[in-house]
Amino acid sequence: FEGVAAPEVDQSGTLLGQQREAERKKRAAEKSAARAKRTCRHRIKSAGASSLLTCTYRENMTDFDRARRDWAAYLRKLRRAIPGFRAVYAFEQQDRGAWHVHAAIDKLPKHLDTVHGRVRSWDFLRRLWHSVVGADNGNIDVDGHLKTRHGMPGKFRAAESLAKLAGYVSKYLTKDHESGIPGRNRWGSTQGIEVSKPVVIDLPEMPLAELVGVAFEV
C-alpha cells in the first residue's frame, strides 16, 4: 500500500545481524589502525628520527603487558643515561607469539661515555636491555648492527631514510590488526616530539603534471 512504511525488523540476534556487526567492527578496526599508522608516521617525520632500534626476547615471551612494562622500564633507563633520548615505537608479535619492539630513534654516536667508561653505543643499549629482561634473555639491534658467528666485530649499515624508517615502524600498527588487543595501544612515543601542523598552500590553476611536480618540490 502506498504511504505505508514496512516495520523495521530487529535482526541483531540473527545470523545476518551478526555478520553486519562483524563487518562494522572490522571497518572500525581498519580505520583505527590506519589513523594510528598515519599519526605514528607523522610523528617519526616530525622528530627527524634516523635510526632503527629493535628489542627482542630470547624466550617466547607472549605477555603483552609485560612487554609494555619492560619497554617502559628500558625507556626510563635510556632517558637517564642519554638526556633528550627520543623514540617512536611499535610492538609486534611474531608468528611464534613472542613480542618485540621496533623504535625509530635519533642517530646515536658510535660511543657513549658512561660511569663504566667509554663504550660502544649499541653495546651499552644491549646491557641496559639485559638489566631489564635478564642476562642473555634477549638482544637489541641498532641500524642493522651485525656480529659474525665467530664473534668478530660487526658494522653499522647506513641509517634508514626518514620516509623508509617511518613506513617500516608504522606498518606494524596495521599488521594483524583484527587480532589486536581491544583498547590497548600497540605504539607510542616519548615526550618532547611535536608533530608539525599541516600547511595550506594556495596554488594557481595548472595542469595536473605540473601540480605533481610542485608537490614534490614543496
Side-chain angles (χ1 to χ4, degrees):
F1 298 95
E2 293 186 8
V4 178
E8 293 187 3
V9 179
D10 183 6
Q11 297 180 332
S12 58
T14 66
L15 179 58
L16 179 59
Q18 293 173 2
Q19 291 174 342
R20 288 177 175 174
E21 179 62 15
E23 285 295 325
R24 185 193 67 78
K25 289 182 178 180
K26 180 180 179 181
R27 288 195 299 271
E30 289 174 346
K31 289 181 180 180
S32 177
R35 184 168 55 251
K37 181 177 181 179
R38 183 170 58 252
T39 303
C40 176
R41 188 168 60 245
H42 289 170
R43 190 155 296 186
I44 290 172
K45 290 183 177 180
S46 294
S50 59
S51 292
L52 177 66
L53 166 66
T54 300
C55 295
T56 59
Y57 293 86
R58 182 182 297 274
E59 64 174 304
N60 190 22
M61 211 293 293
T62 60
D63 186 343
F64 180 66
D65 288 332
R66 177 185 161 191
R68 288 184 62 86
R69 289 196 303 270
D70 287 348
W71 175 249
Y74 185 55
L75 276 182
R76 287 194 295 270
K77 288 175 178 286
L78 279 174
R79 301 200 82 185
R80 283 198 298 267
I82 308 175
F85 179 86
R86 302 182 303 169
V88 180
Y89 51 86
F91 296 89
E92 182 199 7
Q93 193 169 28
Q94 297 172 318
D95 292 337
R96 64 175 179 148
W99 287 97
H100 61 277
V101 189
H102 299 282
I105 64 174
D106 295 318
K107 184 64 179 177
L108 295 171
K110 289 187 177 181
H111 295 85
L112 293 171
D113 293 319
T114 72
V115 294
H116 302 292
R118 190 172 177 80
V119 298
R120 291 180 181 270
S121 58
W122 63 265
D123 191 38
F124 178 69
L125 266 62
R126 184 178 58 184
R127 293 180 192 178
L128 285 187
W129 182 241
H130 284 171
S131 72
V132 173
V133 302
D136 298 324
N137 188 30
N139 204 358
I140 66 101
D141 183 279
V142 182
D143 275 346
H145 177 270
L146 303 174
K147 294 187 70 175
T148 67
R149 292 183 179 180
H150 303 291
M152 298 297 291
K155 62 180 179 180
F156 287 89
R157 70 166 181 241
E160 302 284 5
S161 70
L162 186 58
K164 185 176 180 180
L165 184 62
Y168 186 78
V169 173
S170 61
K171 79 174 184 179
Y172 293 104
L173 303 177
T174 53
K175 182 180 179 182
D176 300 327
H177 63 267
E178 68 277 2
S179 59
I181 303 173
R184 304 301 306 276
N185 287 334
R186 288 179 57 171
W187 81 284
S189 64
T190 56
Q191 296 179 349
I193 299 177
E194 298 294 333
V195 179
S196 303
K197 295 182 179 180
V199 177
V200 178
I201 302 177
D202 291 326
L203 296 174
E205 292 186 6
M206 63 181 66
L208 180 59
E210 293 183 16
L211 182 60
V212 172
V214 171
F216 277 102
E217 291 178 0
V218 174

mmCIF file of all heavy atoms in Angstrom, residues 4 11 34 41 49 57 60-63 73 91-92 117 144 146 150 152 167 172 182 201 206-207 212:
data_model
loop_
_atom_site.group_PDB
_atom_site.id
_atom_site.type_symbol
_atom_site.label_atom_id
_atom_site.label_comp_id
_atom_site.label_asym_id
_atom_site.label_seq_id
_atom_site.Cartn_x
_atom_site.Cartn_y
_atom_site.Cartn_z
ATOM 1 N N VAL A 4 2.485 3.504 3.263
ATOM 2 C CA VAL A 4 2.606 2.660 4.452
ATOM 3 C C VAL A 4 4.033 2.114 4.498
ATOM 4 O O VAL A 4 4.452 1.391 3.588
ATOM 5 C CB VAL A 4 1.592 1.500 4.426
ATOM 6 C CG1 VAL A 4 1.792 0.632 5.661
ATOM 7 C CG2 VAL A 4 0.188 2.051 4.351
ATOM 8 N N GLN A 11 17.183 -7.418 13.645
ATOM 9 C CA GLN A 11 17.953 -8.576 13.206
ATOM 10 C C GLN A 11 19.231 -8.761 14.013
ATOM 11 O O GLN A 11 20.134 -9.489 13.606
ATOM 12 C CB GLN A 11 18.305 -8.425 11.723
ATOM 13 C CG GLN A 11 17.090 -8.390 10.803
ATOM 14 C CD GLN A 11 17.485 -8.240 9.351
ATOM 15 O OE1 GLN A 11 18.525 -7.677 9.035
ATOM 16 N NE2 GLN A 11 16.663 -8.773 8.465
ATOM 17 N N ALA A 34 44.548 2.495 10.529
ATOM 18 C CA ALA A 34 45.060 3.446 9.533
ATOM 19 C C ALA A 34 45.349 4.803 10.170
ATOM 20 O O ALA A 34 46.353 5.452 9.857
ATOM 21 C CB ALA A 34 44.052 3.592 8.396
ATOM 22 N N ARG A 41 53.526 7.723 11.715
ATOM 23 C CA ARG A 41 54.421 8.115 10.630
ATOM 24 C C ARG A 41 54.725 9.606 10.684
ATOM 25 O O ARG A 41 55.883 10.024 10.521
ATOM 26 C CB ARG A 41 53.778 7.736 9.296
ATOM 27 C CG ARG A 41 54.697 7.923 8.101
ATOM 28 C CD ARG A 41 54.131 7.264 6.866
ATOM 29 N NE ARG A 41 52.830 7.832 6.508
ATOM 30 C CZ ARG A 41 51.680 7.155 6.537
ATOM 31 N NH1 ARG A 41 51.666 5.890 6.927
ATOM 32 N NH2 ARG A 41 50.542 7.731 6.185
ATOM 33 N N ALA A 49 63.698 11.336 13.157
ATOM 34 C CA ALA A 49 64.410 10.132 13.585
ATOM 35 C C ALA A 49 65.120 9.489 12.396
ATOM 36 O O ALA A 49 64.608 9.497 11.284
ATOM 37 C CB ALA A 49 63.424 9.137 14.203
ATOM 38 N N TYR A 57 63.257 -10.662 22.737
ATOM 39 C CA TYR A 57 63.441 -11.610 23.832
ATOM 40 C C TYR A 57 63.993 -12.921 23.278
ATOM 41 O O TYR A 57 63.636 -13.329 22.170
ATOM 42 C CB TYR A 57 62.108 -11.918 24.519
ATOM 43 C CG TYR A 57 61.489 -10.768 25.272
ATOM 44 C CD1 TYR A 57 60.673 -9.855 24.619
ATOM 45 C CD2 TYR A 57 61.691 -10.615 26.642
ATOM 46 C CE1 TYR A 57 60.078 -8.802 25.311
ATOM 47 C CE2 TYR A 57 61.112 -9.565 27.344
ATOM 48 C CZ TYR A 57 60.308 -8.668 26.674
ATOM 49 O OH TYR A 57 59.717 -7.629 27.346
ATOM 50 N N ASN A 60 60.232 -17.231 24.588
ATOM 51 C CA ASN A 60 58.994 -16.996 23.843
ATOM 52 C C ASN A 60 58.055 -16.192 24.740
ATOM 53 O O ASN A 60 57.121 -16.737 25.333
ATOM 54 C CB ASN A 60 58.364 -18.334 23.438
ATOM 55 C CG ASN A 60 57.211 -18.145 22.465
ATOM 56 O OD1 ASN A 60 57.120 -17.130 21.781
ATOM 57 N ND2 ASN A 60 56.320 -19.099 22.413
ATOM 58 N N MET A 61 58.307 -14.892 24.823
ATOM 59 C CA MET A 61 57.593 -14.015 25.752
ATOM 60 C C MET A 61 56.293 -13.522 25.092
ATOM 61 O O MET A 61 56.316 -12.652 24.234
ATOM 62 C CB MET A 61 58.496 -12.841 26.132
ATOM 63 C CG MET A 61 58.254 -12.313 27.544
ATOM 64 S SD MET A 61 56.640 -11.552 27.712
ATOM 65 C CE MET A 61 56.864 -10.130 26.660
ATOM 66 N N THR A 62 55.164 -14.066 25.527
ATOM 67 C CA THR A 62 53.876 -13.792 24.879
ATOM 68 C C THR A 62 52.979 -12.853 25.682
ATOM 69 O O THR A 62 51.840 -12.616 25.295
ATOM 70 C CB THR A 62 53.117 -15.111 24.646
ATOM 71 O OG1 THR A 62 52.890 -15.766 25.906
ATOM 72 C CG2 THR A 62 53.914 -16.043 23.737
ATOM 73 N N ASP A 63 53.481 -12.325 26.802
ATOM 74 C CA ASP A 63 52.685 -11.456 27.679
ATOM 75 C C ASP A 63 52.825 -10.000 27.219
ATOM 76 O O ASP A 63 53.865 -9.373 27.421
ATOM 77 C CB ASP A 63 53.159 -11.614 29.123
ATOM 78 C CG ASP A 63 52.295 -10.857 30.118
ATOM 79 O OD1 ASP A 63 51.527 -9.956 29.707
ATOM 80 O OD2 ASP A 63 52.379 -11.164 31.321
ATOM 81 N N ALA A 73 60.332 0.459 31.379
ATOM 82 C CA ALA A 73 61.497 0.480 32.268
ATOM 83 C C ALA A 73 62.772 0.767 31.475
ATOM 84 O O ALA A 73 63.653 1.508 31.929
ATOM 85 C CB ALA A 73 61.620 -0.852 32.999
ATOM 86 N N PHE A 91 54.867 -2.151 18.970
ATOM 87 C CA PHE A 91 55.031 -3.530 19.412
ATOM 88 C C PHE A 91 54.572 -4.474 18.307
ATOM 89 O O PHE A 91 53.519 -4.261 17.706
ATOM 90 C CB PHE A 91 54.211 -3.791 20.677
ATOM 91 C CG PHE A 91 54.646 -2.987 21.862
ATOM 92 C CD1 PHE A 91 54.103 -1.732 22.109
ATOM 93 C CD2 PHE A 91 55.615 -3.469 22.736
ATOM 94 C CE1 PHE A 91 54.500 -0.976 23.194
ATOM 95 C CE2 PHE A 91 56.024 -2.721 23.828
ATOM 96 C CZ PHE A 91 55.462 -1.470 24.063
ATOM 97 N N GLU A 92 55.365 -5.512 18.051
ATOM 98 C CA GLU A 92 54.995 -6.505 17.041
ATOM 99 C C GLU A 92 55.014 -7.891 17.669
ATOM 100 O O GLU A 92 55.897 -8.212 18.475
ATOM 101 C CB GLU A 92 55.961 -6.481 15.863
ATOM 102 C CG GLU A 92 55.565 -7.473 14.773
ATOM 103 C CD GLU A 92 56.705 -7.810 13.831
ATOM 104 O OE1 GLU A 92 57.842 -7.382 14.095
ATOM 105 O OE2 GLU A 92 56.446 -8.501 12.832
ATOM 106 N N GLY A 117 83.033 3.926 31.814
ATOM 107 C CA GLY A 117 83.996 4.292 30.787
ATOM 108 C C GLY A 117 83.335 4.481 29.435
ATOM 109 O O GLY A 117 82.117 4.530 29.311
ATOM 110 N N GLY A 144 70.804 -2.226 12.119
ATOM 111 C CA GLY A 144 71.326 -3.416 11.460
ATOM 112 C C GLY A 144 72.718 -3.792 11.900
ATOM 113 O O GLY A 144 73.473 -4.398 11.142
ATOM 114 N N LEU A 146 75.581 -5.897 13.033
ATOM 115 C CA LEU A 146 75.715 -7.340 12.856
ATOM 116 C C LEU A 146 76.998 -7.851 13.519
ATOM 117 O O LEU A 146 78.013 -7.170 13.557
ATOM 118 C CB LEU A 146 75.750 -7.694 11.360
ATOM 119 C CG LEU A 146 74.556 -7.236 10.531
ATOM 120 C CD1 LEU A 146 74.828 -7.524 9.054
ATOM 121 C CD2 LEU A 146 73.293 -7.963 10.965
ATOM 122 N N HIS A 150 81.521 -16.039 14.736
ATOM 123 C CA HIS A 150 82.791 -16.247 15.420
ATOM 124 C C HIS A 150 83.162 -15.072 16.319
ATOM 125 O O HIS A 150 84.287 -14.985 16.806
ATOM 126 C CB HIS A 150 83.898 -16.484 14.387
ATOM 127 C CG HIS A 150 83.619 -17.640 13.481
ATOM 128 N ND1 HIS A 150 83.631 -18.949 13.924
ATOM 129 C CD2 HIS A 150 83.276 -17.679 12.170
ATOM 130 C CE1 HIS A 150 83.335 -19.757 12.914
ATOM 131 N NE2 HIS A 150 83.105 -19.019 11.840
ATOM 132 N N MET A 152 83.455 -11.897 15.614
ATOM 133 C CA MET A 152 84.211 -10.799 15.030
ATOM 134 C C MET A 152 83.377 -9.518 15.089
ATOM 135 O O MET A 152 82.158 -9.568 15.067
ATOM 136 C CB MET A 152 84.580 -11.118 13.583
ATOM 137 C CG MET A 152 85.478 -12.341 13.443
ATOM 138 S SD MET A 152 87.066 -12.112 14.254
ATOM 139 C CE MET A 152 87.795 -10.871 13.177
ATOM 140 N N GLY A 167 57.805 4.474 7.519
ATOM 141 C CA GLY A 167 56.941 3.437 6.974
ATOM 142 C C GLY A 167 57.195 2.094 7.610
ATOM 143 O O GLY A 167 56.257 1.327 7.875
ATOM 144 N N TYR A 172 53.773 -1.917 11.410
ATOM 145 C CA TYR A 172 53.421 -2.916 12.408
ATOM 146 C C TYR A 172 52.128 -2.577 13.139
ATOM 147 O O TYR A 172 51.553 -3.415 13.822
ATOM 148 C CB TYR A 172 54.562 -3.089 13.413
ATOM 149 C CG TYR A 172 55.775 -3.690 12.770
ATOM 150 C CD1 TYR A 172 56.882 -2.920 12.465
ATOM 151 C CD2 TYR A 172 55.789 -5.031 12.399
ATOM 152 C CE1 TYR A 172 57.986 -3.461 11.837
ATOM 153 C CE2 TYR A 172 56.888 -5.584 11.762
ATOM 154 C CZ TYR A 172 57.983 -4.796 11.485
ATOM 155 O OH TYR A 172 59.068 -5.332 10.842
ATOM 156 N N PRO A 182 41.916 -5.315 22.100
ATOM 157 C CA PRO A 182 40.985 -4.184 22.137
ATOM 158 C C PRO A 182 41.350 -3.185 23.230
ATOM 159 O O PRO A 182 41.628 -3.573 24.379
ATOM 160 C CB PRO A 182 39.629 -4.847 22.419
ATOM 161 C CG PRO A 182 39.793 -6.251 21.932
ATOM 162 C CD PRO A 182 41.231 -6.610 22.233
ATOM 163 N N ILE A 201 48.696 25.606 1.195
ATOM 164 C CA ILE A 201 49.346 26.450 0.193
ATOM 165 C C ILE A 201 48.378 26.685 -0.954
ATOM 166 O O ILE A 201 47.833 25.738 -1.524
ATOM 167 C CB ILE A 201 50.635 25.776 -0.336
ATOM 168 C CG1 ILE A 201 51.602 25.502 0.819
ATOM 169 C CG2 ILE A 201 51.287 26.632 -1.405
ATOM 170 C CD1 ILE A 201 52.854 24.771 0.395
ATOM 171 N N MET A 206 46.771 24.920 -12.761
ATOM 172 C CA MET A 206 47.847 24.423 -13.613
ATOM 173 C C MET A 206 47.536 22.984 -14.007
ATOM 174 O O MET A 206 46.734 22.317 -13.352
ATOM 175 C CB MET A 206 49.190 24.492 -12.881
ATOM 176 C CG MET A 206 49.272 23.624 -11.634
ATOM 177 S SD MET A 206 50.880 23.766 -10.791
ATOM 178 C CE MET A 206 50.821 25.478 -10.245
ATOM 179 N N PRO A 207 48.152 22.483 -15.054
ATOM 180 C CA PRO A 207 47.946 21.087 -15.459
ATOM 181 C C PRO A 207 48.358 20.140 -14.332
ATOM 182 O O PRO A 207 49.230 20.463 -13.515
ATOM 183 C CB PRO A 207 48.850 20.936 -16.684
ATOM 184 C CG PRO A 207 49.011 22.330 -17.209
ATOM 185 C CD PRO A 207 49.007 23.207 -15.994
ATOM 186 N N VAL A 212 51.823 17.939 -9.779
ATOM 187 C CA VAL A 212 52.563 16.848 -9.140
ATOM 188 C C VAL A 212 54.017 17.242 -8.923
ATOM 189 O O VAL A 212 54.600 17.008 -7.857
ATOM 190 C CB VAL A 212 52.492 15.566 -9.991
ATOM 191 C CG1 VAL A 212 53.416 14.486 -9.436
ATOM 192 C CG2 VAL A 212 51.038 15.041 -10.048
#
